Amino acid sequence: MSGKEFFTARTLAEVRAGFRPARRTPVERVPLSEALHRVPAADITAPAALPGFARSTVDGFAVRAADTYGASDGLPSYLDLIGAVRMGAAPTVAVRPGGCVAMPTGGVIPDGADAVVMVEYTAETMPGTIEVTRPVAPGGGIVRADEDVTAGGVLAPAGRPLRAPDLGFLAAAGVTTVAVHRRPRVAIVSTGDEVVPPETVALTAGQVRDATASALAGLVADAGGEPVIAGIVPDEPGALKERLAELLADADLVIVSAGSSVGARDETAGAVAALGDVWCHGIAIKPGKPTLLAECGGIPVIGLPGNPLSALVVFGQVGVPLLWRVGGCETPPPQPGVRARLSRDLASAAGRLDVVQVVVRDGVAEPIFGPSALLSVLTRADGYVIVPEPATGLDAGTEVEVVLYR
């Protein structure tokens, strides 16, 4: 790939819309206890209506709503107390005109009743007689038998990661196993003669411990993937191609931390091009412009810049959405955010999207700057601000959306 091609960078919007590999992980069944954040492969439907019976939402008295019309403090309605409903049991009495039945929250609505009046608006003026001081409309204080979900209704949609409330909903419906996409297996390979394993005790001049692979593994796990740190490939002709061919056999996504030099980038591009199709090499984003996207045998491959900050920022913008998609989720879960005012001007070049790290204090976003080789810029940040491609910068005091790190 020529230098001219490299510097014809695609925008982030073009990448997200255009680079959409068809790869999806296979489906497996897991118990509900292991289903949190997993992605259903198909809509999960209710075998029966929920809650399954009409139930009271308040403590009070089951009534015919018409018997309470016009009731007030000055002119209450008087109803005969004809029984009570116990929790967890079917009613043994029915509500007749002019009568009522004592109800606990969650109790089954007896036949003949169409509402429950709250106990706060009642009083037992004499044994067996209930005074009602406020009217209730039909359906008041009641949940219908199918109000949570109808039989065959969707409990959890396909393609959206399951959250804690979803697990409760599934349990309530008696669904104890779910068909979900397998977690994507993500191979992370580092390159460069200067890169050594993190456990290296003493560094010689020019050596750096591989920090990027560990950080990428964390991002992969956070996005629902299974990271596999696949070691370090030296700068030898053919070595990266050979290692990639091995990794592609058992991965759903491959990440190459490709080094920062032009030579390292060329070696990565050449190795990937020999095994598949390069979709683009260069994204109009700062930091992270020298990013490569490709498909090799149906497996997406991301070539990241070697500088840790650049690699992690661009992987968050490009790799994380791709990873979710491979795992069956078309729309990644949104990250938390907060509105804040910029503490200073932010310069930017038109046509390039800038990702700026910030610290947020008392509603003010303070940008953090530093070389792309410094991980400390990321570890000090609370989140980041996007300066979009058309902008030439943002003025101090501008209200911005800060995407927060979890």
Side-chain angles (χ1 to χ4, degrees), residues 350-368:
R352 181 188 72 196
L353 182 145
D354 282 18
V355 182
V356 181
Q357 307 304 309
V358 296
V359 172
V360 181
R361 295 291 183 273
D362 300 323
V364 176
E366 176 68 37
I368 306 173

Side-chain angles (χ1 to χ4, degrees), residues 329-357:
C329 174
E330 288 298 322
T331 304
Q335 289 182 264
V338 66
R339 302 292 293 180
R341 292 176 291 103
L342 281 177
S343 66
R344 52 166 292 176
D345 294 342
L346 284 181
S348 179
R352 181 188 72 196
L353 182 145
D354 282 18
V355 182
V356 181
Q357 307 304 309

Side-chain angles (χ1 to χ4, degrees), residues 47-276:
L50 284 179
F53 58 90
R55 63 194 297 182
S56 175
T57 62
V58 296
D59 289 337
F61 296 89
V63 298
R64 298 190 334 143
D67 289 339
T68 71
Y69 291 167
S72 66
D73 290 329
L75 188 63
S77 296
Y78 293 94
L79 303 176
D80 295 328
L81 180 60
I82 56 179
V85 169
R86 293 189 301 109
M87 283 297 295
T92 57
V93 294
V95 174
R96 64 175 184 266
C100 65
V101 172
M103 293 295 304
T105 300
V108 181
I109 301 298
D111 290 340
D114 62 0
V116 177
V117 61
M118 294 176 63
V119 69
E120 289 88 343
Y121 306 128
T122 67
E124 189 169 3
T125 56
M126 64 184 71
T129 300
I130 300 299
E131 180 184 86
V132 179
T133 58
R134 183 172 295 189
V136 63
I142 291 178
V143 167
R144 300 189 312 271
D146 63 354
E147 193 160 341
D148 232 357
V149 68
T150 58
V154 175
L155 295 166
R160 192 198 74 187
L162 294 171
R163 301 172 298 199
D166 296 317
L167 303 188
F169 206 15
L170 295 173
V175 177
T176 56
T177 64
V178 291
V180 296
H181 283 276
R182 192 191 69 201
R183 296 185 188 278
R185 295 171 182 162
V186 182
I188 304 167
V189 61
S190 304
T191 67
D193 290 334
E194 78 282 10
V195 183
V196 296
E199 59 269 21
T200 303
V201 176
L203 300 178
T204 60
Q207 288 185 328
V208 294
R209 296 185 182 90
D210 186 1
T212 305
S214 295
L216 287 171
L219 291 179
V220 167
D222 195 45
E226 291 184 355
V228 179
I229 296 181
I232 301 165
V233 176
D235 292 328
E236 297 174 3
L240 181 57
K241 176 186 173 183
E242 181 178 341
R243 185 67 177 122
L244 286 177
E246 296 170 353
L247 296 174
L248 289 166
D250 194 41
D252 300 301
L253 173 66
V254 176
I255 305 171
V256 182
S257 179
S260 301
S261 68
V262 173
R265 293 198 297 262
D266 289 345
E267 178 64 25
T268 300
V272 172
L275 297 170

